[in-house]
Structure formats: C-alpha cells, structure tokens
Amino acid sequence: MKKLGTARRVSWSLMACLFIWQGGEALAASPPVSYGVEADTFHPVKAQHGMVASVDATATQVGVEILRQGGNAVDAAVAVGFALAVTHPQAGNLGGGGFMMLRTASGRTTAIDFREMAPGKASRDMFLDAQGNADSKLSLTSPLASGTPGTVAGFALAAQKYGTLPLSKLLQPAIDLARKGIVVNDALADDLNVYGKEVLLNHPNSKAIFFKTDGTPYKKGERLIQRNLAHSLSLIAQQGPKAFYQGEIADEIAGEMAQHGGLMGKADLAAYRAVERQPVSGTYRGYEVFSMPPPSSGGIHIVQILNILENFDLAKMGFGSADAMQVIAEAEKYAYADRSEYLGDPDFVKVPSQALTSKAYAKAIAQKIDLAKARPSSEIKPGKLAPYESNQTTHFSVVDRQGNAVAVTYTLNTNFGSGIVAGKSGILLNNEMDDFSAKPGTPNVYGLVGGEANAVQPAKRPLSSMSPTIIAKDGKTWLVTGSPGGSRIITTVLQMVVNSIDFGMNVAEATNAPRFHHQWLPDELRVEKGFSPDTLKLLEAKGQHVKVEPAMGSTQSIMIGPDGMLYGASDPRTVDDLTAGY
Ligand code: GLY
C-alpha cells in the first residue's frame, strides 16, 4: 500500500498545535488526526474514487463494482445490503430491518428508518409465561419473535429517492450469488456450526437450506446455493417491494406464521412503511455528529456521552489511561440509565431528545463524575443482571466519488434471527420482538433493561441500539462508521469517534484499538484484551468492576482526508470482512 509522506504530517501537526478554549478553560489540543503515515501502527486501505467497507468480502466487491459502473453511494449501499442477505445470512437480510444514515455531497443529512414493526395482534404481555415472567424463548426463537420486516421497503425507498440505478440492477448481484451459490467462508461456517445448530436445525425449511442431506451444516469452501432466495429476490427485481409486502412473498410469510402460531399477517405486511427521519445531531470539539434518531437509542446516547466527555480533557489523559476510561465509563452509565427510562418508538412515546442531548444536561452529569471513584450503578438506577450475547447485527459504510456517504446498520437481531425461514421464500425471519421490554425492568438478550416507553404495542418499532453515524468537519463529511454488537454498538461507535478526534488515531488505529464498555446494568466495566494490567488495577481501585471479555463490535468505517482521499478500515475482530475501493 502506498503511504503518505511525512511532510504532510508535519503541516497537519502544526495546524493542530493550537490550544482549544472551551467553557473558559484551556484544553490541550488533541493530537493531529493521522491518515495513515508511515510511522502509524496500523494502515488504512486507501482509494481515490469510492470505497465500501463491509463484513463480507464478496458483498464489498459488489458495492465497489456498482460504484465503478457509475452508481452513487446509495446505489452501492443497496446492492451491498441485498448481497449480504445471501452471503451473510447471520445478519444480512430481507426478513429483518435496520437504519440508513445518508449525508449527500451537498451536506444534506437524512435517516431512513426501516426497523421492524410489531404485528397488529401483538400485545404488551405476549412474552410472559403463566407465572408472569418474561419467556425469552418466545421472543427469540418462536414464530412470535418476528416483527414485520422493513429491509425491502427501506432499500426500495432509498434507491428510489436517492439512488440513480434501477432497483432490479441493484438486486442482480444478489440474485446471481443466491442462484449460482457462494463459497462458504470461515465466518459463515463457524456460525452455522454453532448458532445454526441451535436455531436452524429445528426448522425443516431452514435445515433444507443451510444443512446438507447428511444433516451437517455447510463447511468452509463448500458451495451454498439458495434457490428459493434467488426466486424471492427475482420477484422483487421484477415487481418491486410489492412482491414482498403484498405478493407471493407476503403469502409465504403470512402462511408460515398462520401455520405455526405467529401473529404477522398479510395486513401487517401491506401496512409496513419505511420512514425518513431527521437525524440526531450534535457537536463534539468542533466536529458535527449525525446519527440515528429513535427508534434507535444510538444517536441520542452517542451525542449525550460526547457532550459529557467534552467537559474533560481526554487528549491530555491519553488513550487507555485509567482516568480517560473512568470518565467514559461513568458517562456511559448515566446514558444507559436514561435509555432504560426514556427511549422508545417516537411514533408512540414522547422521547425527550432535546433534553437528553443538551449541553447543559451533559454538564450537570459531568459534574457528578468523580475521577477517583466510580458511582455504583445501583445509586444511578436499580435493575437486574443478564449475560451478554455475541455480535449479530451487521454494518457497512460507502462513500462515492462525489462525496455522498452512506452508513447502514441492519439485522435479524441474533444470529440467523428466529431461525425460521418463511415457507418457500428462502427468507430468514428476524427475532427483533426481543428488543421490546417483555416486562419492564427485566433485561433482554443484551442485558438491557427497558421501561414502559419500550413496552410491546401493535405497530410499534422496538427500541434499537444500532447507530450508523456520520461525522463532519468544516462542513464536509469526515468519518462514516457503525458497528454490530447489540448494546455495545453505542459505545463501540463512540470509541471510533473519540479515538479519532481526541487521540488522533487514523481510521485503522481507531478501529483496532482495544475497546471497553459500560452499560450501567450490569455494573461491570467490560474490557477487551490489550489494556495495560496497571490501568485495569487503577480502575478497580476507583471502584470499577472490571471484566475481561471477548471482542466487541465489528466496525466498518471510512474517513475522508483533507486531500479528498478515502481511508477505510474493516475490523480485525471479524474474519472475512473487507474494505476496498477504486
Ligand atoms: N437488535 C439489536 C438492536 O437493534 O439494537
């Protein structure tokens, strides 16, 4: 890879050797953001005209090819999204939902919400057992687990309003991949072997696709053909989203539900709409932040935490210092406590977005943060503990040669969703209903505790943490990022921002740096391997309950340098992902 010369670095360093005055106090200037100079620890992928970063190499190549053919970032993102439904069935989907953040070259930002909706027959206590306890089997692996999918409507809306190519062209690579087959990679082979056995094997339609006739899942290097999925994709290419929401595919989904006691019916599918929303926006040390509004909690809490952090000199504390980690962890606790109380579908509940993202509120929280002593979560808000789950959602980022930028995070919720393929559609259905609060105060699969604002209601969208995020600098798009990871999405994206802005890391360094996470409940500071044991001891001494746990997140990010070059990085925590450009 060609590296940038050191001369350029010197000039950027000089520019950054200023002191920033904030709130009357002098903060040490953050180190200059690096774009991959020779001396850097990790190097981003570099391209001039367009770039795609996704969890799957084949899907990334599909997107780059669309960009090469003259498609814009939205075209490429939609083609990547459809391709992932074939190549990455763990989370890529037609039967799930998600969010798209778009910032056009002219600086207009918009957010497309294609989150699933609860079926019309859903009810508040539908996931409680006879004793009144939340039954996670019902909300995760039964036909009741699925909300009405939004992905097809979301991609169709994006392509029609902001794309330049016909939907049929954007679907063609996915159709070809499903019809001719994909070579199973490490990631899919591993997940089929672990999660596939748990959730797919019990369902004959799913088993017939992902397991061979000898009853074993497809292995690395074997060819996986998905004929029924190819047929469904072709129907959408020929008839548009109508095929999914009113036509043959709707019949298959509704038929599957009716046969096995699910609630989603044809009326739910016909009524589904993707909607455009105003992104949550904020500022952080002079940068503009745009992220996903409710029904995601991501945007509000990323802005809220950044607002709190602005009151501290993180650059001076340094990356990986116990003080910086203490401040960030304490800020996260307050934000996740608020999440449990105030966040829900804005079409149903009044979310106090402005109050939560105000600088004044953040300052009041910052004043409560003690650098020397962690506040126990029980003093912030009481709740119960639950285990964490692994990464299941997926994120991809795209930037085109005009400077249009797209960040998409979408999901089936947990790996392979409910595990149920609807009839002959070849489409895996989500288990997003688990993101509702089955019982206020009881944690979901991510250990997140929710309140009344996120109780199940017909046609409501469950609260999400997915946070496709775009940062602008001097009015120009600068960083496009996002991640899977359930409750850890918010803190993973937050660390991409803080690592880049406060610690001057290039996009690869910001991606590779070890991560940590606090979500208020459980009261533990989850850290990846790689932090100094001295730092962890200091954090323990401050009262943090440190727990070293497996990797968090899988960011797929693109940064635009001052020279207009694109610098991207896929997450080393994930195998088979790829950032590529031309
Ligand atoms: N299903 C995970 C999320 O939306 O946050």
Side-chain angles (χ1 to χ4, degrees):
M1 190 199 68
K2 195 164 171 292
K3 291 162 190 163
L4 292 176
T6 44
R8 181 165 288 151
R9 180 175 214 188
V10 171
S11 63
W12 292 337
S13 307
L14 285 173
M15 278 170 9
C17 278
L18 298 167
F19 274 79
I20 304 161
W21 282 88
Q22 218 154 2
E25 284 173 36
L27 296 177
S30 302
V33 176
S34 159
Y35 296 89
V37 295
E38 200 147 355
D40 283 347
T41 320
F42 299 104
H43 296 281
V45 175
K46 191 174 157 192
Q48 198 172 358
H49 301 306
M51 186 172 273
V52 179
S54 94
V55 75
D56 180 82
T58 306
T60 291
Q61 281 150 1
V62 163
V64 173
E65 193 46 40
I66 292 285
L67 292 175
R68 260 187 220 283
Q69 289 171 16
N72 70 10
V74 175
D75 294 320
V78 169
V80 170
F82 282 128
L84 284 169
V86 182
T87 62
H88 189 68
Q90 300 96 309
N93 67 79
L94 300 184
F99 305 124
M100 177 184 283
M101 274 292 308
L102 163 65
R103 188 163 196 270
T104 65
S106 62
R108 176 170 174 220
T109 52
T110 187
I112 298 178
D113 167 4
F114 53 98
R115 182 76 163 160
E116 298 89 335
M117 291 170 80
K121 290 191 180 137
S123 54
R124 190 182 187 282
D125 296 335
M126 65 186 279
F127 297 118
L128 302 188
D129 63 17
Q131 285 70 46
N133 298 318
D135 180 350
S136 63
K137 273 204 200 79
L138 291 179
S139 59
L140 285 169
T141 52
S142 85
L144 296 175
S146 302
T148 309
T151 295
V152 174
F155 287 170
L157 171 65
Q160 181 246 322
K161 193 156 175 197
Y162 297 104
T164 62
L165 299 174
L167 194 63
S168 55
K169 188 167 170 64
L170 307 179
L171 278 150
Q172 196 56 49
I175 295 169
D176 294 341
L177 288 164
R179 191 173 284 147
K180 293 179 192 154
I182 54 164
V183 178
V184 172
N185 60 19
D186 270 313
L188 181 53
D190 286 353
D191 286 339
L192 281 175
N193 194 38
V194 179
Y195 303 103
K197 282 182 181 164
E198 276 171 24
V199 298
L200 300 172
L201 206 49
N202 298 331
H203 302 290
N205 300 338
S206 316
K207 186 179 168 193
I209 296 168
F210 298 105
F211 287 71
K212 293 174 286 184
T213 43
D214 66 0
T216 62
Y218 280 89
K219 293 194 181 61
K220 184 186 173 175
E222 293 179 337
R223 184 165 291 272
L224 170 65
I225 293 173
Q226 299 176 72
R227 279 191 199 87
N228 288 348
L229 182 58
H231 177 65
S232 290
L233 288 160
S234 302
L235 288 174
I236 301 167
Q238 289 153 21
Q239 300 166 17
K242 220 166 48 178
F244 188 95
Y245 291 99
Q246 289 164 38
E248 197 177 315
I249 302 171
D251 290 339
E252 291 296 328
I253 296 174
E256 179 73 34
M257 293 288 105
Q259 205 182 340
H260 296 107
L263 298 182
M264 195 199 321
K266 283 199 77 172
D268 297 307
L269 287 155
Y272 186 87
R273 296 286 177 274
V275 287
E276 239 178 310
R277 300 189 190 274
Q278 178 84 14
V280 171
S281 58
T283 58
Y284 183 61
R285 305 198 202 276
Y287 292 75
E288 288 173 280
V289 182
F290 302 99
S291 192
M292 196 66 210
S296 176
S297 56
I300 284 185
H301 295 306
I302 286 171
V303 170
Q304 180 188 10
I305 298 168
L306 289 171
N307 283 342
I308 299 168
L309 299 183
E310 225 173 21
N311 294 279
F312 298 89
D313 199 339
L314 293 183
K316 194 165 160 204
M317 293 172 184
F319 172 81
S321 66
D323 280 352
M325 290 175 74
Q326 165 83 354
V327 167
I328 295 170
E330 293 296 287
E332 288 172 356
K333 282 187 207 172
Y334 282 97
Y336 278 85
D338 283 343
R339 183 189 190 280
S340 76
E341 183 73 19
Y342 298 115
L343 272 283
D345 181 345
D347 296 340
F348 284 74
V349 292
K350 179 135 187 43
V351 180
S353 309
Q354 299 227 315
L356 288 169
T357 57
S358 82
K359 298 275 185 198
Y361 181 55
K363 199 172 181 85
I365 294 175
Q367 279 160 358
K368 291 190 223 165
I369 293 179
D370 186 342
L371 266 181
K373 195 167 179 304
R375 188 179 292 270
S377 292
S378 56
E379 282 181 21
I380 297 174
K381 187 111 181 177
K384 294 183 187 166
L385 309 185
Y388 292 100
E389 288 286 314
S390 59
N391 298 323
Q392 303 91 358
T393 299
T394 191
H395 176 85
F396 51 96
S397 298
V398 185
V399 175
D400 66 24
R401 66 185 306 160
Q402 286 79 33
N404 299 301
V406 177
V408 177
T409 316
Y410 78 145
T411 190
L412 290 167
N413 195 21
T414 57
N415 269 312
F416 306 107
S418 68
I420 299 171
V421 165
K424 293 197 197 71
S425 70
I427 295 172
L428 272 166
L429 295 175
N430 67 82
N431 55 1
E432 221 72 64
M433 295 292 283
D434 190 70
D435 276 347
F436 280 116
S437 304
K439 183 178 178 183
T442 300
N444 73 356
V445 73
Y446 304 105
L448 286 169
V449 179
E452 287 299 335
N454 190 32
V456 186
Q457 280 179 262
K460 192 174 180 183
R461 295 172 196 235
L463 183 59
S464 171
S465 298
M466 292 187 286
S467 313
T469 296
I470 297 179
I471 308 288
K473 186 183 181 192
D474 302 328
K476 288 191 181 145
T477 295
W478 180 64
L479 176 66
V480 187
T481 190
S483 179
S487 56
R488 290 148 292 154
I489 293 174
I490 296 171
T491 54
T492 297
V493 173
L494 176 88
Q495 286 169 93
M496 282 303 298
V497 177
V498 168
N499 286 348
S500 309
I501 295 178
D502 290 289
F503 303 128
M505 295 183 189
N506 75 41
V507 68
E509 292 171 336
T511 300
N512 296 8
R515 295 182 182 139
F516 60 99
H517 167 83
H518 205 307
Q519 62 177 51
W520 168 59
L521 294 174
D523 189 354
E524 70 186 24
L525 179 59
R526 181 181 169 146
V527 300
E528 289 182 342
K529 284 184 279 188
F531 287 103
S532 149
D534 298 345
T535 297
L536 301 186
K537 271 193 213 125
L538 287 169
L539 284 163
E540 290 275 4
K542 290 173 193 287
Q544 298 288 358
H545 307 292
V546 177
K547 207 166 168 199
V548 182
E549 289 273 343
M552 292 180 265
S554 170
T555 55
Q556 306 293 333
S557 313
I558 300 173
M559 193 179 265
I560 306 178
D563 51 359
M565 289 296 287
L566 306 174
Y567 300 85
S570 286
D571 203 315
R573 294 162 184 80
T574 309
V575 289
D576 301 314
D577 54 356
L578 177 72
T579 294
Y582 76 107

